[in-house]
Amino acid sequence: MRLELRGGKTAPRLLQDLIQYDPRRLPSTGFNILTEIPLHDEDEKTAPPQVARNSCRHAWTLKDAQSSLCRQGDRPDSSTVYIVAAYCAECRSHLELCLDFRGEVDRLVPCPKKNWPLHHFIYQPEISQSHQAVNSATSPRKESTWADTQRFQCSSPTCSAKLSIRIQPPRLIAKWVSLLTDLNLINQRAAKAIAEEQKRFEGHAIPQPMEVLSNLRQYLVNALRGETRKILGNNKKWLLCLGEPCFDMLQHLGFESDGQDWLPPRPQPEATTPIENPLRIILDDVEKELLVLISKRPAAEKRGTPLPYVPISAMNELMRALGCMDYQQSLQSRTIDFSRTEHPFYAGLGTTSDFHDDLITFAYHRQVESDPVNTPYYLECLQGIAKGRESEVLQTTAAIEASSDKVSLKDVRSAYKEIGLEFPSTLFDDDTIIGTFQSRVSDAPRQEAELRRALKIIGQDRSSEKIQQVASNVVSNYEQAISWLGATEDIDDAFLLSMHCTKVSENPADELLATQAVSIIAHHRNSSALKAWLATGVLGETDMDVAHAYNRLEISDRTIDDETILSAFNFHVSEAPSQTRELRSALTAIAKSKKSKLLQNFLNSGMASSEYPVSEWPVGLENIGNTCYLNSLLQFYFTVKPLRDLVLSFDQHKMEIEDESLTNKRVGSRKVSRKEVERAQRFVYELQKLFQSMITASYAQVTPEQELARLTLMSSTTEEHIRRQSMLSGHRPSLGEINGRPVFGPLPPVSSHALEVDAEMTDTMKSESIFNKETGNDNDADNSSDATLVEVPAAEDDDLIMLDQQQQILEDKENLPPNKIVSVRSNTPENQLQPLAETSPSRTNEQQQPPDAGRDAAQNQKETAPAQSPALPSRPPPFPPRPKPAEQKLATLDEVEIGAQQDVTEVIANVLFQLQCAIKAEYLDESGEQIDQIKKLFFGKQKSYTTNFQGLIRTKEEFISDIKVDVASGPRDIYAALDGAYDVQEVEVGGALEPQYTTISRLPPILQVHVQRAQFDPEKKSSFKSDHHLELKETIYMDRYMDIVDNDLVQRRKECWKWKKDIVRLEARKIELTKNDSNMDVSMLLAATTSYLRQVAEGTARDDDPIEVPESLLRDIEEAAADIKKELESIDSRIKSLATNIHSQFSDLRSIPYRLHSVFIHRGYVSSGHYWIYIYDFVQKMWRKYNDGYVTEVKDTAEIFERDSETRPATPYFLVYIKEELKDELVDPVCRDVVEPPHESPDAEMIDISDDSQDQPEAIELDSIPFDRDTDQAKIGIGVVPGWDAGQVTGISKW
């Protein structure tokens, strides 16, 4: 890394660099000798080049007609503008130097002057333009060329001089120069003219290049003089020297054809200078270039021809304009060998080697004032020049500067090397430098004096008072005390004293200084703990350091909201109650640092503040260990009034467990076992206890039971896997206990078979249709209740594979991953996922191939049938050991953790399945499926239509509990996402692709939408979460998706599908034209190619073997670029038009409205993160945020509906819409009947509510109610909520 020098240049230095500046050929380092200052490093063996090897050393020659010169004795004023126009007598480049004194009335004393003997120019990069493309206004073809313009400002506060240096390439391009000077080309066109009229040209010789150049120059001179005589087309000299091949060049120069004759250029006459007419300027430039070409012709051609070329150097005029005609020079400069390379230190100060010592001093001070950050380098330059010149004046100046706390760059480099750090210093902060110094001192105490001297130099260079104080070894203020102890401001008092002890142990002589540092810190912090230590030697009680507090609560992001901080606090308290005091200290420190009223109120009262009374506000649910999404789900279910009523009056809806009812019970298209029903009823009773607590609790939050979490998160299938594994495998190694809970050792490696999971069988892609089907399926090999949660095992040992996969994710202690674990399936053609055709509007969805109809039916039956049970063993197995109570509790916790791996949608399916299993049916449908309140609330029906190649349409109708939508390919609104679920797409059936679309035949009152965010990257072979924004709408209209007989609706759908197919095709074409390795669209690439080819042709024009680029090729490329640009504009316009059509296609269909009720949110990664939920209160007309234990009002709905700008944004993962006409009957977020706790001791005896004589039934602790697990009956009555009508379940009748 090199320093960036921002100093200036004196006028002589700038002119010297201008001679070497060739913008066409910069060195490989990219160094710009005109605008940059070279950095000389004596440690570098070879200095990088400042100019390119093939660059031109210009011989600037005056163009008098285009100049406005400074005359001898002139003094500029506020209206003065000097212009010096020149051309290079070597490369024919053109220069315009403009010095403008106008504009700034407060700068009326221009340089040079007494205290400012030279202009000192500072580069202005923000208004400079390197190689900017410009157009020739007079060219019929408007040919593109470039100009390099660099701008500077004099640094004198009283000088208004603004300098502009503009350089342009030659007007005559390489092709035209060849036409004028190449003997072969001249011979060809002259021979052609002679052959066409031999008699007329008899005796005429073929002209030499000297004659061709002179004739063309004469035409231009005549035009500049105002001569407008027509040039006859049969003019012999014209035909022999120029002729038809030169017509393109002549037109560019302003010649016009008049039939067979030619009219010369006719520039507007100008009597004053500098000339301003663009055509006149071009002709003047070309005339000067022709003079250069004439001067470079061989002597043999020039013999006998008078030379019109008398070049006038522009250097004197340039020096006079810049005010450096007679600057003070060193006496030694007369004896300097100018063939030797000038030392870079002169350029570093913006001077030349012939400067007088006084001007060297002047330039040094200007550099320091203009670029104080790099003072060390400028001082090094001054010291180097003083030493090289052996100048007493300069050595004295350098010594004075060094005595005023300035250091040279050489000293700075040595200082960093001394303490063991690499230069430059920008790589390190002050604390790193101080820490390295202290480490070096401890390693080499005898070198402390030298190290402190080096540290002081570094401190001076960085202008760091902190470093200089450490170097001087004094402590007088708080910052110095912290620095001296090697601490930071966020270190707590206790750790600060340990650093004091370390200092004293390293050097006992520093004890007094160390104690003084502690005293200063104690008074600055007003720390009673440190003051007590200073007085008694014993540290008083300390406040926890903020950094330590965040670490204690395991919070890495200090910008999170207060509710999340409280969630973390409550989680740790529940995990380790014995550490509550320390955790409260951490929360107190955070509350103070954030000045949080909410946290402080919680510390004072145990509740987060709310502007609503407790009796009118929902309660939160405490996180009992990675259950944030469980809490969100339970909060949602509680707000569904019919479901809440059903749970609270469960005894009236409970299914009687008897053989006859079990025989006819079918949920999810399959039979349900007795064990599943018993488990489901235990689940409902646990849910009932929670709902009662949420209604009656006098606190801001309640705690779900571990048993409820286990039954909710774990399906019966997963539970059975765990039971079977506990009998097949040993326990994991224990590393001891923390707070009574075991710490397990690492798991064994996952089997290779377990890793062979089909990457496409993930949460977002595995289902047969776009809907989340009802739990269970006739075709599923596993007849358990969790067929949609865990896929069918492929072999008998898949039980172990499944548990290995679950345990692998169990190590991630963050919350739910937004995708689920699936089992290994055989990779047969029947279950492979087939990609959609490229033209499908919903090609991002993929469908599973059904069994091949052409295959043997027996074979299909064999592959889909359940695995046969093994033969019974000949003897009974040994009795397994009975778990102890503590082991039973730990097993429950482990089961909850395994259940926590399940996806939100899987948990929802598990909950709905268990609710249906637990209650009795209202009736059975034609397939024997149980119809009940849950089925009516949450399940609708979809119908799919598939058309084969013969035009026959097959239909299939099935229950759905949610609609799956996708945001994998980019942001979209809710309608675009829903369209993806219902658009026509191509599915593979029997080896052929057939179109299929889906409609909704029956909408549920509560419509659930699953946003599929878990995606799979086939290149990286890993899953990732799509964070694309989904634009939600508070009301959606489902008319467009309904299965109704309406030809108009069908036609609208087909039009939409066609438009979407067109958009896919247009976007594919746009990608072809815009996506490539260069990150430029094709039109830009072609334009860049044209520019490059022109530069190549011009740059090699003077070479022995120049590269010729046909002009026709350049025109073809430019036309192709224009065509592509036009096509891209047309594509964008068409896509926009089609999108507008799609957006408005169904806007008039608004008869089936659904209102947004709940939004499940996830923030994090595919394998970890945090969930919360927003729920709308239609009565209070407000959104609430349910974040574990904290329920708060949403003041700004942008956090729900607008895109989160965070790097890892919070995104909707599951949505709930309510039928508009039923919303008041279906949802009721606030259901509270607070029962105040008794005033007796917490150890008071519980009251049996079955005893009617008790006066205070509200004193019952619900968690203490004994529960008979064998009979599934509570030993007390359930209807404990005052005013509760257990017989009424509302909101179902209108289904």
Side-chain angles (χ1 to χ4, degrees), residues 39-312:
L39 175 67
H40 176 64
D41 187 351
E42 292 183 347
D43 293 336
E44 292 183 348
K45 296 181 179 180
T46 304
Q50 296 181 21
V51 294
R53 186 173 300 177
N54 60 343
S55 63
C56 177
R57 185 174 178 86
H58 299 297
W60 294 121
T61 306
L62 187 65
K63 294 192 293 186
D64 190 65
Q66 299 181 38
S67 301
S68 177
L69 304 176
C70 173
R71 303 305 176 186
Q72 188 72 28
D74 283 357
R75 287 291 295 173
D77 55 30
S78 59
S79 64
T80 301
V81 178
Y82 293 141
I83 298 176
V84 179
Y87 62 97
C88 178
E90 296 294 332
C91 68
R92 297 182 289 113
S93 294
H94 295 273
L95 165 70
E96 181 186 83
L97 184 146
C98 176
L99 194 64
D100 190 347
F101 293 90
R102 298 172 299 178
E104 301 185 42
V105 295
D106 57 336
R107 294 186 169 194
L108 299 178
V109 186
C111 302
K113 50 200 170 190
K114 182 176 181 182
N115 296 326
W116 215 284
L118 289 171
H119 285 294
H120 180 255
F121 291 109
I122 303 295
Y123 179 52
Q124 307 290 305
E126 63 278 0
I127 56 175
S128 297
Q129 297 166 326
S130 298
H131 266 261
Q132 182 192 27
V134 296
N135 292 323
S136 175
T138 61
S139 171
R141 294 175 301 145
K142 298 292 187 291
E143 286 204 6
S144 176
T145 182
W146 57 265
D148 186 273
T149 305
Q150 308 297 347
R151 302 181 189 277
F152 304 81
Q153 172 74 55
C154 181
S155 64
S156 170
T158 61
C159 179
S160 61
K162 296 179 287 293
L163 176 64
S164 169
I165 297 177
R166 177 185 175 93
I167 296 179
Q168 285 186 273
R171 302 280 188 179
L172 294 175
I173 61 176
K175 174 185 175 182
W176 297 341
V177 172
S178 297
L179 287 173
L180 299 174
T181 60
D182 189 311
L183 281 171
N184 291 329
L185 297 178
I186 294 173
N187 287 338
Q188 289 176 10
R189 62 176 180 266
K192 181 181 178 182
I194 293 173
E196 291 176 353
E197 298 183 75
Q198 294 183 5
K199 292 184 178 180
R200 188 163 176 268
F201 286 97
E202 186 176 353
H204 285 76
I206 292 178
Q208 292 293 310
M210 181 76 176
E211 184 180 353
V212 174
L213 293 169
S214 298
N215 286 338
L216 177 58
R217 176 182 173 273
Q218 191 60 51
Y219 286 124
L220 299 184
V221 170
N222 293 340
L224 289 170
R225 291 173 179 171
E227 296 183 12
T228 59
R229 287 183 300 172
K230 183 184 298 187
I231 303 171
L232 297 178
N234 60 358
N235 184 294
K236 297 179 182 178
K237 185 186 297 184
W238 174 267
L239 291 175
L240 290 175
C241 291
L242 299 172
E244 183 178 350
C246 297
F247 287 177
D248 185 53
M249 175 188 65
L250 294 171
Q251 289 178 338
H252 175 76
L253 296 179
F255 290 84
E256 298 179 6
S257 62
D258 182 16
Q260 294 183 350
D261 303 330
W262 285 83
L263 299 175
R266 288 168 289 181
Q268 295 179 359
E270 293 185 69
T272 60
T273 58
I275 57 177
E276 297 179 354
N277 178 258
L279 180 57
R280 183 171 289 274
I281 291 174
I282 290 177
L283 297 178
D284 187 54
D285 286 350
V286 174
E287 190 262 339
K288 298 299 188 293
E289 292 183 32
L290 292 173
L291 287 174
V292 173
L293 295 174
I294 290 172
S295 69
K296 293 185 176 298
R297 297 311 303 166
E301 286 187 32
K302 298 178 185 178
R303 192 176 297 117
T305 303
L307 292 179
Y309 186 47
V310 182
I312 302 175

Side-chain angles (χ1 to χ4, degrees), residues 519-787:
S519 176
I520 292 172
I521 295 171
H523 285 84
H524 180 85
R525 292 183 175 181
N526 195 22
S527 169
S528 57
L530 291 179
K531 290 179 180 178
W533 178 83
L534 290 167
T536 65
V538 178
L539 182 66
E541 186 173 351
T542 63
D543 293 334
M544 185 178 291
D545 170 65
V546 175
H548 184 201
Y550 278 104
N551 288 334
R552 183 63 187 85
L553 295 182
E554 299 182 7
I555 297 173
S556 59
D557 182 6
R558 298 192 185 187
T559 63
I560 61 175
D561 54 41
D562 293 347
E563 291 89 348
T564 306
I565 293 174
L566 284 178
S567 296
F569 167 79
N570 286 324
F571 170 75
H572 286 288
V573 169
S574 66
E575 290 283 297
S578 62
Q579 300 176 20
T580 300
R581 182 176 179 180
E582 181 186 0
L583 293 167
R584 281 186 64 87
S585 297
L587 187 61
T588 300
I590 294 173
K592 287 182 179 179
S593 69
K594 291 173 68 74
K595 299 179 180 179
S596 168
K597 292 182 179 180
L598 186 144
L599 297 181
Q600 197 62 52
N601 185 76
F602 176 84
L603 290 165
N604 295 335
S605 63
M607 296 178 62
S609 61
S610 172
E611 56 189 86
Y612 297 91
V614 174
S615 60
E616 300 177 9
W617 198 253
V619 298
L621 297 179
E622 184 179 341
N623 191 315
I624 59 175
N626 302 319
T627 56
C628 54
Y629 64 85
L630 169 66
N631 291 340
S632 300
L633 187 61
L634 294 174
Q635 290 283 16
F636 159 60
Y637 283 138
F638 183 80
T639 66
V640 180
K641 191 172 186 297
L643 174 59
R644 186 175 67 220
D645 293 349
L646 183 150
V647 170
L648 291 171
S649 61
F650 174 55
D651 283 344
Q652 298 184 20
H653 307 278
K654 179 179 176 182
M655 171 189 171
E656 298 298 330
I657 304 177
E658 52 189 25
D659 292 342
E660 181 179 355
S661 59
L662 286 173
T663 301
N664 296 326
K665 191 175 184 69
R666 293 177 64 85
V667 177
S669 302
R670 67 173 182 81
K671 292 184 178 181
V672 180
S673 68
R674 174 187 296 271
K675 186 175 181 180
E676 287 176 317
V677 174
E678 292 173 347
R679 185 184 192 276
Q681 293 182 351
R682 290 202 306 274
F683 160 73
V684 178
Y685 276 122
E686 290 292 336
L687 188 60
Q688 185 184 74
K689 289 169 58 179
L690 176 68
F691 281 6
Q692 289 171 340
S693 297
M694 294 172 70
I695 293 171
T696 62
S698 59
Y699 297 101
Q701 56 184 256
V702 297
T703 305
E705 292 288 343
Q706 292 279 359
E707 179 68 4
L708 174 61
R710 183 182 71 82
L711 293 172
T712 306
L713 298 174
M714 295 185 61
S715 66
S716 57
T717 302
T718 307
E719 192 176 51
E720 181 64 16
H721 279 308
I722 294 175
R723 185 191 68 79
R724 291 167 65 182
Q725 191 198 31
S726 67
M727 300 174 62
L728 295 172
S729 60
H731 292 290
R732 292 164 58 184
S734 175
L735 304 180
E737 294 184 352
I738 295 178
N739 298 323
R741 296 186 62 181
V743 178
F744 293 114
L747 286 166
V750 180
S751 70
S752 60
H753 182 42
L755 297 178
E756 295 173 359
V757 180
D758 186 351
E760 301 207 273
M761 299 300 291
T762 59
D763 169 61
T764 61
M765 302 177 183
K766 70 180 180 55
S767 63
E768 180 178 348
S769 75
I770 52 180
F771 295 95
N772 178 31
K773 296 184 181 179
E774 185 178 358
T775 308
N777 192 301
D778 283 339
N779 295 329
D780 288 336
D782 188 351
N783 283 331
S784 73
S785 65
D786 206 30

